[in-house]
Amino acid sequence: MSLLKKKSPFSGHKTSDAEFRVLEEQFKAKSKILSGVIDDITHFLVSVDKMLTDQRTIVTNIKQIAPESTAFGTLIKQEHDTVCSLIDDRRKTFDAEIKLKVTEPYHAYMVQYREIKERIKERHRREDAMKKHTENAAKFRSKQDVRANSEQARLDAAIPAYEELNAELKRDINILLNDADKFFTPLMATLFSIQTNFYCHLHNKKSANMATMDPQLFNMPPFKSSITPRDQSSVSKQYMAASNPYGENSPYASPPTQAKPAGQPAPQYSSPTPQYPNHYAQPAYGGAPGSYSPVPVAHHQPLPQPPVQPPLPPPPMNNRLAQGLWDFNASAAHELSFRAGDVLSILDSSGSWWKAEFQGRQGVIPGNYVKLI
C-alpha cells in the first residue's frame, strides 16, 4: 500500500531539536513522492497489458473482416498466428525486464526509507524518556527524595542513547535526501529504455510477406462518401413535401408556431376555406333554374368567414438582405433557423418560402417572418 494512504507514525511528536525537525519534514515529503512511483509503474504495466490484449483482439477481428480476395486479407490471415504469438512473447519478456530492472531495485531501495521511519520512532521514544527522567530527577532532588539518585542514573543512560541515535539519523537522512536523484534517475532511464526497446522490437519484427506489399496499401486515402448526398436523397424531398403540403409557392404554407416578440404578434397561418358544400347542409333549389344553394338544417346563422390570410411577400428580389421580425426555429433539415433582428442573405424570394443564407448555412424560411432591408 502506498505511503500516501497512511498516516505518518511520527507525525504527532514535537522534537526540541530544530535541525532534526527540518530534516524530518524533508524526509517525509521525499518519502511521499517516492512511494507514488511504484503506483505509477503498476498503472503503466496494467495499461501495457491492456494495450497488447486489445491489439490481439484487433488482429483477430481484422482476420474475420478482411476479404480473402484482397492482398491484405490474404496477408492478415497468414500472419494472424505470427502476430499474436509475437505479442504474447514480448509481453512476457517486457514484464520480466520491468520486474528485474525496475520494480525489484525500487523495493530494495525503499527498504531504507521504511527502516529510517522505524528508527525515527525509536529516536522520539528515547527523547521523550530522556525528558521524563530529567523532570523526575529534578523533582526528586527538590524534595530530597531517595529516588533522585536512581532517576539520575536512568537519565545518565538515556542521554547518550538519544544523542547517538539522533546524530546517526541526521547523517543517514541527509544521505538519503541527497542520493535519491542518483538512484531514481538511472531507474527511470532504465524504464524508458525498456519501453523503447519493446516498441521498436514490435515495429522491426515485420514479416517478409508484409515487406513485399505495395506501400500504397498502407496509406489511407482521403475519405469520400459513396452514397447519394443527403440534399439529393429522396429522404430530403419527402421532408419538404411533409413540411409544405400545399406546395412550395402556396401562400398557405405553414411553418411551426414560433415565439412572438413582445408587443407585436407573429403572423397567423391557417388552412384555405373549403370549396365544397357543408356536410351539415341539405340541397335546396332557388333562384335561377338549375342553381344550387346549401341550406342549413339545424340553424340559420351565416357561415363563418375565412380567417385573414398572411400577407404575401413582395415580388422576387434575389441577392438581397432581410432582417428577422420574429424567431424561427427550423423543424426540418432543409429549413434555416434565425432570431428576430438577425440579418440574412436572400438567395431566392419566389413563393412564400424563401431560400436564404445565414452564418454559412443555407435553407428555406417563411417570407413573412422577415423584412427586406
Side-chain angles (χ1 to χ4, degrees):
M1 184 181 296
S2 173
L3 294 179
L4 291 172
K5 302 177 182 178
K6 294 182 179 180
K7 183 178 179 182
S8 174
F10 43 79
S11 58
H13 181 85
K14 299 297 182 182
T15 180
S16 58
D17 189 328
E19 179 185 358
F20 186 86
R21 187 162 55 246
V22 173
L23 284 175
E24 182 180 359
E25 292 300 322
Q26 294 176 349
F27 174 82
K28 289 191 293 183
K30 180 69 74 171
S31 179
K32 287 183 179 181
I33 294 173
L34 299 183
S35 297
V37 171
I38 194 61
D39 292 336
D40 296 335
I41 294 175
T42 301
H43 294 160
F44 167 72
L45 293 175
V46 171
S47 300
V48 169
D49 186 72
K50 185 178 185 303
M51 179 193 70
L52 295 177
T53 301
D54 293 342
Q55 182 63 47
R56 184 187 181 101
T57 302
I58 289 174
V59 173
T60 303
N61 290 339
I62 292 176
K63 178 184 176 183
Q64 298 173 352
I65 295 172
E68 292 189 51
S69 58
T70 65
F72 182 70
T74 302
L75 170 67
I76 199 64
K77 291 182 184 300
Q78 293 174 348
E79 297 301 312
H80 171 262
D81 294 337
T82 301
V83 172
C84 291
S85 176
L86 173 63
I87 289 174
D88 290 341
D89 290 343
R90 286 308 300 169
R91 178 165 52 187
K92 295 176 183 177
T93 303
F94 179 77
D95 291 344
E97 284 188 309
I98 291 292
K99 179 180 179 181
L100 178 64
K101 299 180 180 180
V102 178
T103 57
E104 289 183 355
Y106 168 84
H107 286 301
Y109 180 83
M110 291 305 295
V111 168
Q112 302 175 103
Y113 276 77
R114 290 192 291 272
E115 180 64 26
I116 290 296
K117 287 181 60 178
E118 293 299 321
R119 295 180 188 181
I120 288 177
K121 289 196 295 183
E122 175 61 19
R123 181 254 181 214
H124 292 338
R125 189 194 66 78
R126 293 184 183 185
E127 183 180 27
D128 291 340
M130 182 181 65
K131 292 179 180 179
K132 179 180 179 181
H133 294 319
T134 302
E135 294 172 357
N136 288 342
K139 181 177 65 175
F140 293 152
R141 280 195 299 269
S142 65
K143 296 181 179 180
Q144 297 183 350
D145 193 315
V146 295
R147 290 177 293 176
N149 292 334
S150 60
E151 197 65 26
Q152 183 62 47
R154 295 188 185 95
L155 175 60
D156 293 340
I159 290 176
Y162 161 76
E163 291 180 346
E164 181 178 356
L165 182 55
N166 190 53
E168 175 188 301
L169 283 171
K170 287 181 180 180
R171 180 179 64 255
D172 288 346
I173 291 176
N174 269 308
I175 292 174
L176 284 180
L177 294 177
N178 291 328
D179 77 355
D181 293 337
K182 295 179 183 179
F183 173 79
F184 275 93
T185 297
L187 183 74
M188 293 298 102
T190 301
L191 176 60
F192 179 76
S193 176
I194 295 174
Q195 292 174 287
T196 304
N197 292 336
F198 170 73
Y199 298 132
C200 289
H201 180 82
L202 291 180
H203 175 74
N204 294 332
K205 281 290 184 178
K206 294 180 179 178
S207 74
N209 292 333
M210 185 171 291
T212 62
M213 298 292 293
D214 181 3
Q216 294 299 322
L217 176 65
F218 304 101
N219 293 327
M220 182 67 186
F223 172 75
K224 292 183 179 180
S225 177
S226 303
I227 65 175
T228 303
R230 187 173 184 85
D231 58 352
Q232 300 176 18
S233 170
S234 63
V235 175
S236 297
K237 295 178 183 179
Q238 292 172 359
Y239 289 159
M240 294 182 68
S243 62
N244 192 355
Y246 300 105
E248 183 177 351
N249 296 324
S250 171
Y252 303 109
S254 303
T257 303
Q258 306 295 323
K260 61 181 181 179
Q264 185 178 6
Q268 301 296 315
Y269 291 87
S270 60
S271 302
T273 304
Q275 300 300 318
Y276 46 82
N278 188 297
H279 65 275
Y280 291 111
Q282 63 182 6
Y285 292 91
S291 64
Y292 179 88
S293 174
V295 178
V297 174
H299 54 79
H300 299 280
Q301 290 85 350
L303 292 174
Q305 297 298 316
V308 178
Q309 300 178 359
L312 294 176
M317 300 178 66
N318 299 332
N319 298 323
R320 293 287 304 277
L321 298 179
Q323 187 175 31
L325 297 174
W326 296 275
D327 294 348
F328 176 72
N329 296 318
S331 59
H334 64 284
E335 297 176 354
L336 182 64
S337 298
F338 60 88
R339 296 286 179 265
D342 289 343
V343 177
L344 301 84
S345 296
I346 305 301
L347 305 178
D348 185 358
S349 58
S350 59
S352 59
W353 286 82
W354 296 359
K355 185 176 181 181
E357 181 176 357
F358 179 58
Q359 295 182 343
R361 296 182 64 254
Q362 294 185 6
V364 296
I365 63 172
N368 55 349
Y369 266 56
V370 298
K371 66 177 181 178
L372 292 172
I373 57 175

